[in-house]
Amino acid sequence: MSRIEVQGLSRRFGSVTAVDDVWLDIADGEFLVLLGPSGCGKSTLLRMIAGLLPPTGGRLRLGGADITDTPPQQRDLAMVFQSYALYPHLSVARNIGFPLRARRWRRADVRAKVADVAAQLDLVDLLDRKPRELSGGQRQRVALGRALVRDPGAFLMDEPLSNLDAKLRAGTRAEISALHRRLAATVVYVTHDQVEAMTMATRIAVLNGGRLEQVGTPAEVYDEPASVFVAQFLGSPAMNLLRTVVRAEGGRLTARAADVELDLGIEGELPQREVVVGVRPEHLNPSGPEEASIRAVVTAVENLGNEEVVHCAAGEIPICVRGPRPLDLGRGDRVNLATRARHLHLFDPGSGRRLTWRPAPVTAGV
Ligand SMILES: Nc1ncnc2c1ncn2[C@@H]1O[C@H](COP(=O)(O)OP(=O)(O)OP(=O)(O)O)[C@@H](O)[C@H]1O
Ligand SMILES: [Mg+2]
């Protein structure tokens, strides 16, 4: 059993709080991705789980047992780092077998296990080489092999693909996902790359300034971001955000700003209030009817090959639209951007948190 329970872990460095009261319950066999911008505390949290850094608060459990004070070697966890941290003077075979020799395994057993892991990672032909004779992707596979060889209950990976070029990264991403399915092992994986998070995770935990913003499946986090921060962090180009005033008009809620009029698709009465309305670039149709929701002017068009990103301005508000090529738009064109109420995300302008008005009817005092 390799359930990992992070119970209010915190870590301060002097006056900096790198990780602030994080709670996570990671099920056995999950692939949990810690996602967030540089400096948000991902590595610090992972290093505390690995036992490489003592927490300044909170507890940690592995398979139900409290391991907060257990030294790293005695935790049933293997860590894979961004810098492969291979021994340069040892062959691939000896690098992979290192953790087993350190545990005084018999030579024949080490050889058999290394052969087994090398076959899984397609490293059989490289076993006699030194790390400097390998490509970045091959080195990362050796580092993975060294973690795998111990059959740990859980793998902790800190940006293991960030030294690889785009093509290798995509390939290795698929490889790690396949490995996770085959081994059914628990993985905690740190990245700031939203594509890695979306494609590999069973759940994503989004960190911001040391705090947990949201935990959910990739679809939940993308489709129902819990805050403006999450909404803007996932998705490229980022979600459009419009500061509007919402009021009830004829029993329906409408959000307005200059050149913007959005029917929120919610029936009810409400005192007028400010709301940040979010809509993703792919959910705006630039050939909407005259009376469409957002009136804007095209300021630039980017050709992405299969798609186009059209930058517009609705009054002062910059708005991005993404769609299949060709959208037949040019700088200076006037567009009416249409969308559907179900594609609108509503946030409180003060706290930045999601407003859960939809699809439930409005209740007083929300
Ligand atoms: N040993 C340390 N001493 C002081 N401050 C530290 C130390 N380690 C980390 N920090 C600070 O803690 C915060 C979180 O750092 P951390 O390395 O966990 O971020 P990260 O999310 O992994 O970022 P990146 O994506 O850049 O790797 C940062 O503000 C960092 O400067
Ligand atoms: Mg880091």
Side-chain angles (χ1 to χ4, degrees):
M1 266 299 288
S2 298
R3 173 182 179 190
I4 300 172
E5 292 163 273
V6 173
Q7 302 180 319
L9 279 189
S10 296
R11 174 69 208 203
R12 285 189 313 276
F13 295 106
S15 60
V16 177
T17 303
V19 172
D20 192 0
D21 191 27
V22 170
W23 291 77
L24 279 172
D25 191 345
I26 306 164
D28 190 30
E30 243 196 289
F31 196 117
L32 183 104
V33 170
L34 296 174
L35 177 70
S38 184
C40 72
K42 305 177 297 291
S43 296
T44 303
L45 180 55
L46 198 72
R47 286 162 57 80
M48 288 195 285
I49 297 174
L52 301 172
L53 190 71
T56 47
R59 308 299 300 174
L60 183 68
R61 290 172 171 276
L62 178 64
D66 192 312
I67 58 160
T68 316
D69 303 312
T70 307
Q73 323 74 280
Q74 287 165 31
R75 297 182 184 199
D76 185 22
L77 303 165
M79 182 115 174
V80 182
F81 297 93
Q82 167 183 358
S83 61
Y84 325 108
L86 300 177
Y87 301 105
H89 58 290
L90 297 182
S91 66
V92 167
R94 289 182 68 81
N95 262 290
I96 295 175
F98 190 87
L100 303 182
R101 287 199 303 282
R103 282 174 177 68
R104 307 200 179 286
W105 276 39
R106 287 179 28 224
R107 193 180 284 206
D109 293 342
V110 173
R111 206 175 301 137
K113 185 69 189 176
V114 168
D116 176 37
V117 166
Q120 285 192 50
L121 293 171
D122 200 14
L123 290 169
V124 175
D125 295 336
L126 306 175
L127 284 173
D128 294 329
R129 294 211 196 158
K130 296 279 169 57
R132 65 168 182 279
E133 299 163 330
L134 302 175
S135 71
Q138 292 165 338
R139 279 180 215 167
Q140 195 49 272
R141 294 216 296 276
V142 176
L144 268 175
R146 197 176 46 188
L148 262 173
V149 81
R150 284 174 39 203
D151 287 324
F155 294 89
L156 308 177
M157 304 191 189
D158 195 348
E159 310 233 16
L161 308 186
S162 56
N163 283 347
L164 309 183
D165 65 40
K167 186 156 171 276
L168 254 181
R169 200 180 299 182
T172 316
R173 206 165 68 203
E175 228 163 64
I176 293 178
S177 289
L179 203 62
H180 168 250
R181 280 195 299 274
R182 205 160 61 234
L183 300 173
T186 311
V187 178
V188 185
Y189 185 103
V190 163
T191 185
H192 60 265
D193 182 323
Q194 50 163 310
V195 177
E196 281 179 30
M198 290 297 292
T199 53
M200 300 171 90
T202 53
R203 280 193 307 159
I204 300 174
V206 185
L207 282 170
N208 175 23
R211 287 177 165 269
L212 206 52
E213 285 273 331
Q214 185 172 8
V215 189
T217 63
E220 283 166 355
V221 175
Y222 190 83
D223 295 340
E224 284 186 37
S227 64
V228 165
F229 178 85
V230 177
Q232 292 242 282
F233 195 75
L234 281 159
S236 177
M239 184 186 283
N240 297 297
L241 295 174
L242 311 141
R243 254 182 186 272
T244 68
V245 172
V246 169
R247 61 170 170 259
E249 294 179 13
R252 288 178 78 78
L253 298 191
T254 305
R256 288 180 183 277
D259 294 314
V260 175
E261 180 188 332
L262 294 159
D263 178 348
L264 300 184
I266 304 167
E267 290 184 9
E269 293 297 330
L270 182 84
Q272 173 171 317
R273 61 163 291 176
E274 284 193 20
V275 170
V276 172
V277 176
V279 56
R280 293 209 179 271
E282 64 267 32
H283 290 148
L284 285 169
N285 172 6
S287 46
E290 276 293 296
E291 67 281 7
S293 314
I294 302 172
R295 291 168 297 283
V297 178
V298 174
T299 54
V301 178
E302 287 173 345
N303 177 356
L304 302 185
N306 59 338
E307 288 190 318
E308 272 174 3
V309 172
V310 181
H311 297 270
C312 311
E316 300 276 283
I317 309 172
I319 294 186
C320 250
V321 180
R322 200 178 84 184
R325 266 183 78 209
L327 292 172
D328 289 327
L329 290 171
R331 207 176 134 82
D333 286 352
R334 296 191 166 276
V335 283
N336 298 302
L337 306 176
T339 187
R340 291 174 194 278
R342 66 186 160 90
H343 292 316
L344 300 176
H345 304 259
L346 310 180
F347 302 99
D348 181 85
S351 66
R353 304 303 295 180
R354 184 182 192 85
L355 294 167
T356 51
W357 283 342
R358 290 175 313 131
V362 177
T363 52
V366 180

